[in-house]
Amino acid sequence: MDNAKDTIVNGKAILGIELGSTRIKGVLIDEQNAPIASGAYDWENQLENGVWTYSLDDVWKGLTACYQDLAKDVKERYGIPVERLGAIGFSAMMHGYLAFDRDGKQLAPFRTWRNTITQEASEKLSELFGFHIPQRWSIAHLYQAMLNREPHVKDVDFLTTLDGYVHWQLTGEKVLGVGSASGMFPIDSATKNYDATMIQKFDRLASSEGYSWKIGDLLPKVLLAGDSAGVLSEEGARILDPTGTLRSGCPVCPPEGDAGTGMAATNSVKLRTGNVSAGTSVFAMIVLEKPLKRAHEEIDMVTTPAGDAVAMVHCNNCTSDLNAWVNIFREFAQSFGVEADTDRLYGTLYNKALEGDRDCGGLLSYNYYSGEHITGFEEGRPLFVRTPDSRFTLANFMRTNLYSSLGALKVGLDILQKEEDVAVDRITGHGGLFKTKGVGQKILAAAMNATVSVMETAGEGGAWGIALLASYMLRRETDETLEDYLQNKVFGGDEGVKMDPDPEDVKGFETFMSLYRAGLPIERAAVDSMKM
């Protein structure tokens, strides 16, 4: 505690803040990169006029509240205020659409990663580039707005992501880490910048449709892990800390998306390593040692924060439906006058799932709160279905919902593992799904038929990951790679608690997936018949 206090007093603590789908979290780390304080603020996206969005007012309200909660934690733990910081990093959900004119005015509501409203643009750009452009990518949103002839497009002067926007407002710098940038526009891993050939192709396309701007002028400047990305401005310091206690001027690292921070937080930036981040959404990232044989619309090509090629399987839905069911059981308990602690409630129900049949006993669910591109859905309807002779028990019910949380992900992973023969030496899980010890880890091991590790720091998530990237910028030695820094200065060879796949679980998951794939027309019927 004394060491942590000295670190804070001397202005050497580093702060990472990540704006996630349901929570904004801040983590303060010491000189050994260990968390010493944290803060959080819960928030939710809104469905407005058919678009999943957050208001920018809520962004600033949440960011300030998160920092205040962290400062309160520091005060309660160490009895001191936070006056100076060694460095800061900002992260957020990747992708989406935030467009501004030359005066910095927002031109359209923030369109998040969760939207599946750009299918036409996605298909046409994928054909134009010969490279899969997912619906949630910023360039797909821009081109869809062009196809829709939205009036604001002609006035776009700057296009960025949520992490890029926060960084811009707090530092004045229009930049983006390469990992986050790779979710806006394709990156050439050789140059570690936007793909020049694709930039030219898009400029010709835009010109043919009457737009005078150049896409390269609209996008943020690409920076690599370790690069300097500006300093916290006086205005930025007051936004974070309206009390005026926090001083301006500390260096800020390149903003990164939640995929990149997840890779840092799980020591998964090395070739043939990978991680699965499972929360509101779920995505798997595997750092490639060689290019894929061909493009797949289910697989996204992004990069590590250092610019190396990564195959990404991203699914819009993971734990939202699970959380809804857990809350039903909470309400049931409350009806009997029982107040269940949240950790105990989740732990009890998740562990109950391990008592269920390996194939879920013939039960089936789809956790689609929103559309799911991997299985071809533009909208989602959470759905549970069973036959009269299925084995309907609480254990099978919970196991089904846990399997379903990874169902769409497995569709994409099967492409990488079974069609592309992608090699991976280590998979690390992190995020809310893995908080109950051993359960989510066991389910993921079955889904991937691979050894899965979970680290003690898994719960710290992306906020810790972006703090590590800020630490790397501040403390790295000359020519020290991000891979070496994480391995030697942060993890020290710690690969977490490993769990091998149970052959019976693997077999059961495959049986469940056969039913999952066969039942997709049921989900289609629900989407078509239950209009929002």
Side-chain angles (χ1 to χ4, degrees):
M1 183 174 289
D2 288 340
N3 288 340
K5 184 174 180 179
D6 288 344
T7 298
I8 297 168
V9 169
N10 294 328
K12 294 183 178 180
I14 291 176
L15 174 62
I17 296 181
E18 181 162 279
L19 294 90
S21 301
T22 59
R23 172 172 288 193
I24 302 173
K25 185 171 182 177
V27 171
L28 199 67
I29 65 174
D30 63 16
E31 292 175 86
Q32 287 71 47
N33 296 306
I36 54 176
S38 64
Y41 175 82
D42 292 336
W43 69 338
E44 286 284 352
N45 54 189
Q46 305 295 323
L47 185 62
E48 297 180 359
N49 300 315
V51 175
W52 291 103
T53 188
Y54 300 83
S55 76
L56 297 191
D57 286 343
D58 285 345
V59 169
W60 299 118
K61 175 184 176 182
L63 198 66
T64 301
C66 173
Y67 181 82
Q68 289 175 331
D69 192 47
L70 182 138
K72 178 183 176 183
D73 187 40
V74 171
K75 188 73 172 178
E76 291 176 349
R77 286 175 185 255
Y78 311 109
I80 55 174
V82 180
E83 297 181 351
R84 293 181 293 146
L85 291 168
I88 301 182
F90 298 104
S91 174
M93 305 162 270
M94 281 179 69
H95 318 296
Y97 185 74
L98 275 165
F100 302 89
D101 67 13
R102 66 177 57 191
D103 297 319
K105 176 184 176 183
Q106 186 181 13
L107 294 173
F110 175 31
R111 299 167 189 179
T112 77
W113 59 268
R114 197 169 199 170
N115 291 286
T116 49
I117 55 177
T118 63
Q119 182 174 350
E120 183 182 5
S122 171
E123 291 175 351
K124 289 185 175 180
L125 288 178
S126 297
E127 181 178 359
L128 176 68
F129 293 157
F131 181 100
H132 175 52
I133 301 295
Q135 288 199 49
R136 65 188 181 281
W137 280 26
S138 306
I139 195 62
H141 280 284
L142 175 63
Y143 188 47
Q144 191 65 53
M146 292 164 61
L147 293 172
N148 296 344
R149 308 307 299 178
E150 295 183 38
H152 79 267
V153 177
K154 67 180 186 305
D155 298 320
V156 175
D157 184 71
F158 182 48
L159 187 65
T160 192
T161 59
L162 182 55
D163 49 311
Y165 168 70
V166 169
H167 184 98
W168 169 38
Q169 294 298 303
L170 299 187
T171 68
E173 301 290 337
K174 294 180 176 180
V175 300
L176 207 56
V178 64
S180 194
S182 71
M184 293 193 74
F185 194 94
I187 293 289
D188 180 345
S189 286
T191 64
K192 301 189 187 310
N193 206 336
Y194 301 117
D195 188 287
T197 300
M198 296 183 198
I199 287 281
Q200 293 173 358
K201 288 182 178 180
F202 193 85
D203 281 342
R204 288 194 292 269
L205 178 65
S207 178
S208 70
E209 297 192 16
Y211 296 102
S212 58
W213 42 252
K214 302 289 187 183
I215 187 61
D217 295 333
L218 306 188
L219 296 170
K221 179 183 178 182
V222 177
L223 297 178
L224 303 180
D227 287 345
S228 173
V231 299
L232 181 67
S233 67
E234 182 63 34
E235 181 182 0
R238 294 294 68 76
I239 290 173
L240 279 180
D241 182 12
T243 70
T245 304
L246 179 64
R247 300 180 192 175
S248 61
C250 72
V252 186
C253 73
E256 265 295 350
D258 49 2
T261 59
M263 283 185 273
T266 57
N267 194 19
S268 301
V269 300
K270 183 181 179 181
L271 298 183
R272 293 170 61 108
T273 64
N275 75 93
V276 172
S277 174
T280 303
S281 64
V282 60
F283 50 84
M285 318 277 293
I286 299 176
V287 187
L288 300 177
E289 62 177 341
K290 59 182 179 181
L292 299 182
K293 300 168 189 172
R294 64 180 182 87
H296 302 267
E297 66 176 81
E298 300 90 349
I299 309 298
D300 306 346
M301 292 304 302
V302 291
T303 78
T304 69
D308 295 317
V310 173
M312 178 183 192
V313 181
H314 183 284
C315 305
N316 288 351
N317 303 280
C318 185
T319 59
S320 293
D321 198 37
L322 260 172
N323 295 341
W325 281 114
V326 171
N327 284 331
I328 286 289
F329 288 113
R330 184 197 306 277
E331 188 177 340
F332 171 79
Q334 290 171 340
S335 298
F336 284 87
V338 177
E339 286 294 335
D341 172 80
T342 296
D343 288 342
R344 184 182 178 191
L345 183 63
Y346 273 90
T348 300
L349 290 170
Y350 275 36
N351 278 292
K352 189 69 178 178
L354 299 186
E355 301 174 15
D357 296 324
R358 309 298 180 99
D359 63 358
C360 299
L363 308 184
L364 179 62
S365 73
Y366 294 98
N367 62 337
Y368 296 0
Y369 261 57
S370 62
E372 196 56 82
H373 72 100
I374 283 184
T375 48
F377 288 89
E378 70 289 346
E379 295 180 14
R381 302 291 183 271
L383 178 69
F384 179 83
V385 63
R386 63 189 176 97
T387 59
D389 62 347
S390 59
R391 294 179 294 281
F392 188 39
T393 65
L394 177 59
N396 280 345
F397 177 80
M398 289 306 301
R399 195 176 189 107
T400 298
N401 282 289
L402 281 165
Y403 275 19
S404 179
S405 69
L406 300 177
L409 183 77
K410 181 162 174 58
V411 172
L413 287 172
D414 280 351
I415 293 171
L416 290 178
Q417 293 179 296
K418 297 177 182 179
E419 296 182 27
E420 289 284 352
D421 299 317
V422 169
V424 58
D425 296 328
R426 176 170 54 84
I427 288 288
T428 304
H430 67 118
L433 186 69
F434 303 102
K435 190 172 183 181
T436 298
K437 188 175 181 179
V439 180
Q441 185 177 11
K442 185 176 177 66
I443 300 299
L444 178 61
M448 296 191 69
N449 191 19
T451 300
V452 174
S453 296
V454 173
M455 297 179 177
E456 288 294 327
T457 50
E460 300 297 343
W464 185 55
I466 190 64
L468 294 180
L469 291 174
S471 173
Y472 173 64
M473 173 196 69
L474 189 67
R475 300 168 177 162
R476 69 179 177 135
E477 299 175 11
T478 303
D479 297 328
E480 186 176 25
T481 66
L482 177 61
E483 174 190 327
D484 288 341
Y485 184 82
L486 292 175
Q487 183 67 23
N488 301 326
K489 305 288 180 60
V490 179
F491 295 95
D494 178 19
E495 294 185 357
V497 178
K498 296 182 179 181
M499 181 178 290
D500 295 326
D502 182 321
E504 291 302 312
D505 285 345
V506 174
K507 182 179 177 182
F509 209 120
E510 291 291 349
T511 300
F512 172 80
M513 285 304 298
S514 295
L515 184 59
Y516 184 95
R517 290 184 171 92
L520 287 170
I522 307 171
E523 175 70 15
R524 172 54 60 192
V527 171
D528 291 344
S529 59
M530 296 180 69
K531 299 298 182 183
M532 290 197 296

